[in-house]
């Protein structure tokens, strides 16, 4: 029996392993080049990967083995992962073709999208720069509107993607794709919604006072009344991160520093080597290149890379630290683990590490010891960092509430008036005023809604895990920045076990306590 199960695991591994590598490699090529050929290759590789996982025989066998109790925990976990992945991919050939074609088209539009203002093309970085720095209402409105143009280009296809994903989910007896996706990622929907409700209540008052302070500052900057503030006045396309606040120019701390050297120093301090990853990576902006950032482990054998579009500002320093957080988790997995388990415990677990590393760039100790902020500015910088972090936590939590609730409603009914639902949620959770008379699919301008569906809850859950981890690490190593003991703790307790346990058990065994939102909630006050 055990031999039979082991054979099943080995056969599955042999089949999917080269297909996954092919898929990840072609996806990388498409992201760095954006050419139609590379996008077509990704579409084919993705289809081949999905076709293999859609095999009904494998799904039925995994389901059967998964229901039988097995003595060997490692073998049982591999079977469970095969079952979950196969279940996510139970769709017929026509559905796979339709999904991959739609995703490829949308991916191509996002990769090559540049906003247009008066005939001039603007990259995402150029738009972000204007939104963050301009004090001219007309200018920020035009740029903000330009940033939403991609929504109009892809909205029909994104709605179609929701329909196709739903059909596949319903054939398996799920209510819709939202429910299927959570269930097959081992997240209990009812628990998630009640946790998010709690976070909404806990963050409401502190967010309201923060929003009021931000509103007063923004209205002074633009010389308008606070009632006249609209979403383009908040310095970010989606108001998902904190705008510049107070007199301290935080970005100026980064203007003279090479982000690659800075990040290497952070990881050196933790006893983690990131230079080989950086050498394989694609770090700087270029026409035609994907404007987002991600990390990928091409072969589960150490070929780890990250894509960035680095600029000398806080945002891109934080992003590089974030992506390298994903990278070191992959790099320090136990190489002896079977292929199926040679991966992070869960997406939310790797997001927790990435978020932890990104937020170091706001840490007072990090600013002085790693970034080298001079003593005369150290105290003001640390104070500004603390405020930015708290503001960032609040703003990002409210934004996650928009994203998760929007996706829940979109999959519940893709035919609904999504334009109105989007702005209802933005007003409710982010407290912004919708632009008068605006009728546009602004929800489709968010990359994740189209191409990384039902993912955002992982960021919020990752934030909660991050707060719990930092509490333990500081307790263990007396701090975080520049402490090898902190890095060792992460490697041994969190990275090394890979996918041996489900995410919830893994957090409990690493920190000695199941996921507890208290650590994060305490930080919001
Ligand atoms: Zn991430």
């Amino acid at each position: 029996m055990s031999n039979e199960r082991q054979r099943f695991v080995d056969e599955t591994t042999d089949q999917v392993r080269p297909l996954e590598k092919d898929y990840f490699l072609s996806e990388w090529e498409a992201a760095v080049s954006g050419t139609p050929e590379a996008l077509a290759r990704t579409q084919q590789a993705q289809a081949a990967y999905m076709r293999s996982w859609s095999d009904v025989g494998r799904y039925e066998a995994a389901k059967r083995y998964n229901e039988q109790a097995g003595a060997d925990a490692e073998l049982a976990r591999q079977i469970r992962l095969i079952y979950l992945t196969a279940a996510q991919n139970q769709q017929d050939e026509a559905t796979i073709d339709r999904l991959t074609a739609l995703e490829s088209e949308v991916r191509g539009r996002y990769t090559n999208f540049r906003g247009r203002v008066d005939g001039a093309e603007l990259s995402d970085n150029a738009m972000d720069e204007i939104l963050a720095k301009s004090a001219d209402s007309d200018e920020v409105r035009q740029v903000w509107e330009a940033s939403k143009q991609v929504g109009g280009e892809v909205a029909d296809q994104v709605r179609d993607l929701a329909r196709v994903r739903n059909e596949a989910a319903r054939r398996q007896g799920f209510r819709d794709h939202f429910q299927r996706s959570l269930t097959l990622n081992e997240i209990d929907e009812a628990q998630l919604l009640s946790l998010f409700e709690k976070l909404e209540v806990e963050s409401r008052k502190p967010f309201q006072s923060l929003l009021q302070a931000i509103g007063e500052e923004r209205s002074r900057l633009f010389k308008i009344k606070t009632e006249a503030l609209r979403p383009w006045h908040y310095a970010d396309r989606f108001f998902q991160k904190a705008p510049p606040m107070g007199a301290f120019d935080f970005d100026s701390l980064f203007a003279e520093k090479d982000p690659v050297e800075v990040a290497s120093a952070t990881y050196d301090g933790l006893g983690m080597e990131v230079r080989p990853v950086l050498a394989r990576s694609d770090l700087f902006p270029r026409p035609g290149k994907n404007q987002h950032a991600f990390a990928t482990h091409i072969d589960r054998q150490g070929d780890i890379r990250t894509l960035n579009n680095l600029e000398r500002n806080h945002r891109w320093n934080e992003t590089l630290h974030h992506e390298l957080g994903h990278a070191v988790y992959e790099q320090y997995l136990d190489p002896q683990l079977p292929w199926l388990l040679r991966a992070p415990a869960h997406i939310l677990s790797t997001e927790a590490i990435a978020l932890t590393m990104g937020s170091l760039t706001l840490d007072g100790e990090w600013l002085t010891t790693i970034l080298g902020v001079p003593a005369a500015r150290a105290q003001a910088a640390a104070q500004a960092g603390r405020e930015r972090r708290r503001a960032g936590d609040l703003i990002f939590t409210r934004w996650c509430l928009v994203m998760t609730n929007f996706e829940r409603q979109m999959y519940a009914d893709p035919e609904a008036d999504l334009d109105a639902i989007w702005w209802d949620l933005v007003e409710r959770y982010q407290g912004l005023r919708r632009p008068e008379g605006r009728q546009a699919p602004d929800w489709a301008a968010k990359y994740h809604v189209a191409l990384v569906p039902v993912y955002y809850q992982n960021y919020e859950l990752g934030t909660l895990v991050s707060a719990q981890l930092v509490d333990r690490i500081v307790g263990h190593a007396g701090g975080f920045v520049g402490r090898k003991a902190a890095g060792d703790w992460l490697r041994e307790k969190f990275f090394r076990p890979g996918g041996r346990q489900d995410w919830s058990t893994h957090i409990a065994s690493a920190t000695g306590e199941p996921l507890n939102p208290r650590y994060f909630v305490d930080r919001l006050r």
Side-chain angles (χ1 to χ4, degrees):
M1 181 60 208
S2 171
N3 279 345
E4 186 189 323
R5 288 153 65 108
Q6 186 63 56
R7 212 165 32 246
F8 172 69
V9 166
D10 292 343
E11 278 169 15
T12 299
T13 304
D14 288 346
Q15 281 178 25
V16 297
R17 185 179 176 148
L19 295 172
E20 183 187 90
K21 182 177 171 182
D22 216 39
Y23 173 28
F24 287 176
L25 204 52
S26 63
E27 198 175 43
W28 173 265
E29 295 297 337
V32 298
S33 75
T35 63
E37 298 77 29
L39 286 159
R41 242 188 341 270
T42 306
Q43 186 187 335
Q44 286 160 13
Q46 185 189 9
Y49 171 82
M50 287 169 75
R51 221 174 281 127
S52 177
W53 275 114
S54 74
D55 185 288
V56 180
R58 172 181 300 129
Y59 169 67
E60 298 290 349
K63 192 165 190 258
R64 197 172 62 244
Y65 291 138
N66 182 49
E67 282 157 6
Q68 299 158 353
D72 181 341
E74 210 163 82
L75 191 57
R77 186 66 194 150
Q78 291 177 77
I79 284 171
R80 172 115 182 113
L81 288 176
I82 294 174
Y83 161 68
L84 292 169
T85 314
Q88 284 164 33
N89 285 284
Q90 285 312 293
Q91 41 225 354
D92 55 34
E93 189 69 19
T95 307
I96 292 174
D97 287 346
R98 183 115 183 84
L99 273 175
T100 51
L102 278 167
E103 285 187 10
S104 176
E105 186 183 344
V106 173
R107 194 178 293 122
R109 297 216 180 213
Y110 269 106
T111 300
N112 291 300
F113 172 72
R114 301 293 183 268
R116 288 173 304 278
V117 179
D118 291 337
E121 292 205 335
L122 294 173
S123 68
D124 283 359
N125 272 353
M127 291 193 279
D128 290 344
E129 175 91 358
I130 294 169
L131 289 176
K133 299 211 170 132
S134 171
D136 176 340
S137 267
D138 281 338
E139 185 179 40
V140 290
R141 181 182 48 76
Q142 283 179 18
V143 167
W144 181 89
E145 285 172 356
S147 76
K148 305 298 176 196
Q149 286 159 357
V150 69
E153 290 181 21
V154 300
D156 290 344
Q157 289 90 330
V158 175
R159 223 186 260 265
D160 244 2
L161 275 168
R163 293 184 190 111
V164 179
R165 288 171 186 147
N166 270 352
E167 282 165 24
R170 282 171 190 151
R171 274 198 296 272
Q172 280 171 278
F174 291 102
R175 185 191 69 226
D176 57 24
H177 178 68
F178 186 81
Q179 188 199 32
R180 173 175 82 153
S181 190
L182 290 178
T183 308
L184 298 180
N185 281 289
E186 300 184 300
I187 293 174
D188 183 282
E189 188 186 21
Q191 272 177 25
L192 180 78
L193 295 178
S194 100
L195 176 63
F196 273 36
E197 192 51 39
K198 179 181 160 67
L199 291 171
E200 195 280 313
V201 172
E202 296 279 359
S203 64
R204 194 185 302 154
K205 277 218 174 82
F207 178 73
Q208 276 164 1
S209 2
L210 174 72
L211 189 63
Q212 194 178 346
I214 288 173
E216 283 161 13
E217 206 176 320
R218 303 305 287 174
S219 68
R220 274 198 302 278
L221 176 71
F222 289 101
K223 302 185 173 57
I224 54 176
K225 292 204 169 87
T226 48
E227 302 80 57
L229 289 170
R230 292 296 174 271
W232 45 81
H233 290 117
Y234 289 83
D236 179 273
R237 278 172 276 156
F238 296 98
F239 192 39
Q240 67 180 77
K241 44 175 54 91
M245 292 185 311
F248 194 89
D249 179 2
F250 206 73
D251 273 338
S252 71
L253 299 175
F254 298 86
E256 306 295 321
K257 309 280 180 174
D258 174 358
V260 177
E261 278 173 26
V262 173
S264 303
T266 303
Y267 284 91
D268 281 347
L270 297 166
M272 297 181 190
E273 179 57 86
V274 291
R275 285 171 191 82
V277 172
L278 289 165
R280 280 187 295 265
S281 295
D282 190 310
L283 298 172
F284 298 98
R286 219 184 26 251
K289 175 181 163 181
N290 180 315
Q291 302 189 80
H292 298 264
F294 65 88
T296 178
H297 194 169
I298 301 284
D299 58 0
R300 302 200 194 192
Q301 279 190 301
D303 183 355
I304 304 157
R305 313 171 183 192
T306 145
L307 180 137
N308 276 264
N309 287 279
L310 298 177
E311 307 263 351
R312 295 190 172 200
N313 56 25
H314 173 255
R315 183 242 164 136
W316 280 104
N317 275 273
E318 180 180 33
T319 301
L320 181 59
H321 278 75
H322 177 110
E323 300 307 337
L324 289 173
H326 289 303
V328 290
Y329 194 161
E330 303 276 350
Q331 176 166 284
Y332 294 115
L333 294 166
D334 181 354
Q336 304 301 322
L337 284 166
W339 184 85
L340 280 160
L341 303 184
R342 221 180 298 146
H346 194 277
I347 293 161
L348 74 88
S349 317
T350 182
E351 285 305 341
I353 299 304
L355 291 160
T356 304
M357 297 310 298
S359 79
L360 283 184
T361 58
L362 294 167
D363 180 274
E365 197 178 2
W366 183 88
L367 289 165
T368 47
T369 60
I370 304 288
L371 195 63
V373 173
R377 298 185 78 194
Q379 213 185 339
Q383 173 69 19
R386 251 194 316 279
E387 280 167 15
R388 286 195 70 75
R389 196 170 97 158
R390 181 174 169 276
D393 280 345
L394 283 165
I395 288 169
F396 192 68
T397 292
R398 305 300 289 190
W399 165 242
C400 286
L401 290 168
V402 171
M403 283 293 290
T404 301
N405 282 293
F406 177 78
E407 289 193 292
R408 190 162 67 91
Q409 296 196 36
M410 178 174 82
Y411 288 107
D413 181 12
E415 318 310 322
D417 183 353
L418 299 178
D419 303 4
I421 290 173
W422 176 259
W423 282 105
D424 287 347
L425 292 168
V426 168
E427 288 191 330
R428 176 164 170 213
Y429 293 121
Q430 294 185 289
L432 301 182
R433 286 194 186 84
R434 81 179 76 195
E436 286 76 5
R438 185 164 177 86
Q439 267 297 329
D442 294 325
W443 47 275
K446 184 64 192 168
Y447 186 82
H448 290 69
V449 172
L451 290 169
V452 201
V454 198
Y455 188 94
Y456 242 78
Q457 70 286 342
N458 292 312
Y459 290 125
E460 187 63 23
L461 292 168
T463 306
L464 305 184
V465 174
S466 170
Q468 188 164 329
L469 282 176
V470 170
D471 178 84
R472 291 309 185 279
I473 292 168
V474 170
H476 169 78
F480 199 148
V481 178
R483 287 166 178 82
K484 194 167 168 297
D488 289 346
W489 188 94
L490 275 177
R491 283 165 68 161
E492 280 311 307
K493 296 265 189 189
F494 210 78
F495 300 168
R496 221 183 133 69
R500 275 203 183 98
Q501 297 170 317
D502 69 86
W503 66 269
S504 164
T505 312
H506 171 235
I507 288 161
S509 33
T511 67
E513 182 186 9
L515 177 62
N516 183 347
R518 179 176 72 85
Y519 301 100
F520 177 70
V521 168
D522 283 351
R523 236 161 63 175
L524 300 178
R525 299 217 168 86

